Amino acid sequence: GWHDAGDFDLRIESQTGEIYHLSAAVEEFNAFWDETTVDQNSKVVEIHQPDGKNDFLQQIEHGALSIVAGYKALGRLYHEIMCQNLRQYVLLGDPVNMTSHITDGPDERYVFTENNPAKELQSSARLAAAYRALKGYNDSLAKDCLDIAIALYDQLEEQNAVGKSVDDSGVGYYVRTDNTRIQAACELFLSTGEEKYRTRILGYVDYIKENVDKVGWCVCRCIDKLQDEAFKQTVKEALIVHQKNIANMCAETPYRIPYRPNTWGAGWGIQTMGAKYYFLHKAFPDVFPADVMYDALNFILGCHPGSNTASFASGIGAVSHTIAYGFNRADWSYIPGGVSSGTALIRPDFPELLEFPFLWQQSEYVIGGGSSDYLFLVLAVANTLKNK
């Protein structure tokens, strides 16, 4: 799996989030890049050394191996794999130095689990998407992803489980189980074509109509394949209202995107919004103009409030965020391609991007969103402009 910034924890929502965004990039844009050698058997990675394999698929495989192995060992998802003590947590540099690598030693990490229906359904959706990306590349791992996705979904359907879970932002916002159940049904329908998932989605029509701002994007991923014109029209009518709300929020600032900053940097939410907006635009281009995607990307690249108009993507742009918070945080440096959280709300109400490091609400690199949402958004914009 992947470690998040300098936290050294492997959270299930981070791991599944990363494979989901990368899988969507492969599926939507046939994304291919080969700049890294990854050998899982010998545990060797060489950057800037092509190996003839798609880096996107190798990274999806890398995350899926962690999730699948955890599920097989525990009979359930792990919630988090975490170091034992503060001394390990504040380690500087590569997390490989956190442990002596002696089995059952005093520095072994802890594995935490939880009962969290919303998060488990979210993981089901993301593993179902990973199955489609990995199929034909690592078929046995792809099958494991789909089997686990189905098992999680079926178990929670049988229990009619309800609950709430921290969403991708990880900072206290919550998603309802209904939202992630719809997402799981959509992704499983795309992966299997089975009628039970189609029936589940169509049966949610009233809920989808009332919560289209939260689930409309994932429904749009499969709306044509559902082959139900009445359902599609109902969703479209709700989305027209949603688009007007988006347009009103975009008009509130000169940046032409919904921007309501919180204490945390706004970059992650804007990238996620732009990535989800792509699916709305793809399904209903007559309702959702592509401009919002372009403006979201422009915001990340420097068109944001404050005197410091650096790009949040390190090494990208004439001026970019080159003092950032990741494994490099002790080095007064940056990781090329890392995407920081960006402009935050400085109390009482002044949005600004400060230039010194370690204000990690502004300068933290993250996974499970963040950089992979940026990557997806860049591909979405490029693909949309190419096809205009």
Side-chain angles (χ1 to χ4, degrees):
W2 305 276
H3 293 278
D4 184 12
D7 297 333
F8 300 128
D9 58 333
L10 281 75
R11 297 184 304 147
I12 192 62
E13 59 267 37
S14 300
Q15 308 306 306
T16 59
E18 197 69 15
I19 66 172
Y20 188 59
H21 302 126
L22 294 172
S23 296
V26 171
E27 187 169 41
E28 291 292 327
F29 313 118
N30 196 29
F32 181 92
W33 192 258
D34 181 20
E35 190 67 21
T36 308
T37 292
V38 180
D39 188 331
Q40 293 287 350
N41 292 327
S42 60
K43 297 182 173 63
V44 169
V45 174
E46 295 279 353
I47 63 172
H48 308 307
Q49 184 64 48
D51 61 358
K53 298 178 181 179
N54 189 350
D55 290 350
F56 282 85
L57 295 177
Q58 288 180 302
Q59 290 294 320
I60 296 166
E61 177 185 53
H62 185 68
L65 285 169
S66 168
I67 299 161
V68 168
Y71 186 89
K72 287 184 174 181
L74 300 168
R76 60 192 301 167
L77 298 172
Y78 60 77
H79 161 61
E80 184 173 52
I81 302 174
M82 186 57 163
C83 55
Q84 287 194 28
N85 55 60
L86 182 61
R87 183 73 187 91
Q88 289 174 295
Y89 187 81
V90 298
L91 172 80
L92 297 175
D94 195 298
V96 72
N97 298 313
M98 184 189 300
T99 173
S100 64
H101 301 282
I102 298 173
T103 303
D104 297 325
D107 54 6
E108 290 276 55
R109 290 179 295 170
Y110 288 143
V111 178
F112 296 90
T113 66
E114 64 175 347
N115 290 319
N116 193 319
K119 195 180 293 184
E120 288 158 9
L121 286 163
Q122 184 183 64
S123 297
S124 171
R126 292 167 170 180
L127 288 167
Y131 157 76
R132 300 195 299 275
L134 289 170
K135 189 169 57 172
Y137 175 75
N138 185 332
D139 287 332
S140 62
L141 184 60
K143 183 178 183 301
D144 284 337
C145 287
L146 183 60
D147 288 347
I148 294 170
I150 292 171
L152 289 169
Y153 180 90
D154 287 348
Q155 176 184 350
L156 293 166
E157 280 288 84
E158 183 179 336
Q159 297 171 358
N160 194 27
V162 296
K164 61 183 181 180
S165 169
V166 176
D167 74 0
D168 291 341
S169 68
V171 292
Y173 301 104
Y174 291 91
V175 291
R176 288 184 54 174
T177 304
D178 289 321
N179 297 356
T180 52
R181 180 177 279 116
I182 290 168
Q183 186 184 8
C186 289
E187 296 296 344
L188 283 164
F189 177 68
L190 287 171
S191 292
T192 69
E194 290 188 14
E195 180 62 28
K196 70 175 183 178
Y197 303 119
R198 178 179 178 273
T199 300
R200 192 63 160 118
I201 298 164
L202 297 179
Y204 259 119
V205 62
D206 291 335
Y207 181 89
I208 293 169
K209 181 179 177 180
E210 294 300 319
N211 297 274
V212 76
D213 58 321
K214 301 178 182 65
V215 299
W217 68 273
C218 62
V219 173
C220 282
R221 278 173 62 79
C222 66
I223 197 161
D224 288 328
K225 294 185 178 180
L226 292 172
Q227 297 184 330
D228 189 303
E229 286 303 315
F231 175 84
K232 183 176 181 178
Q233 186 59 33
T234 298
V235 172
K236 183 176 183 179
E237 290 171 0
L239 285 172
I240 290 171
V241 176
H242 178 44
Q243 193 281 329
K244 291 178 180 177
N245 292 334
I246 292 176
N248 289 336
M249 287 189 287
C250 288
E252 293 175 357
T253 76
Y255 312 104
R256 300 191 300 273
I257 57 165
Y259 177 61
R260 294 176 176 177
N262 206 320
T263 304
W264 216 274
W268 305 341
I270 290 168
Q271 289 161 187
T272 299
M273 180 274 297
K276 290 178 177 179
Y277 190 93
Y278 164 80
F279 297 108
L280 301 172
H281 168 72
K282 180 184 177 184
F284 298 105
D286 56 323
V287 177
F288 295 92
D291 296 23
V292 173
M293 277 192 301
Y294 306 155
D295 292 329
L297 183 57
N298 283 335
F299 189 99
I300 304 306
L301 294 177
C303 188
H304 53 70
S307 57
N308 180 359
T309 55
S311 161
F312 300 161
S314 294
I316 300 171
V319 179
S320 69
H321 204 177
T322 52
I323 305 298
Y325 187 96
F327 288 176
N328 59 297
R329 67 192 185 281
D331 303 327
W332 198 272
S333 65
Y334 69 98
I335 299 171
V339 183
S340 63
S341 38
T343 305
L345 188 66
I346 307 302
R347 293 180 179 179
D349 58 2
F350 185 64
E352 183 56 283
L353 179 62
L354 300 177
E355 294 191 11
F356 59 82
F358 303 125
L359 188 63
W360 49 282
Q361 297 95 323
Q362 296 181 346
S363 60
E364 184 185 13
Y365 294 140
V366 292
I367 62 167
S371 56
S372 52
D373 270 341
Y374 168 80
L375 182 151
F376 183 91
L377 181 57
V378 170
L379 292 172
V381 167
N383 184 74
T384 304
L385 289 171
K386 182 178 68 176
N387 294 324
K388 281 188 71 172

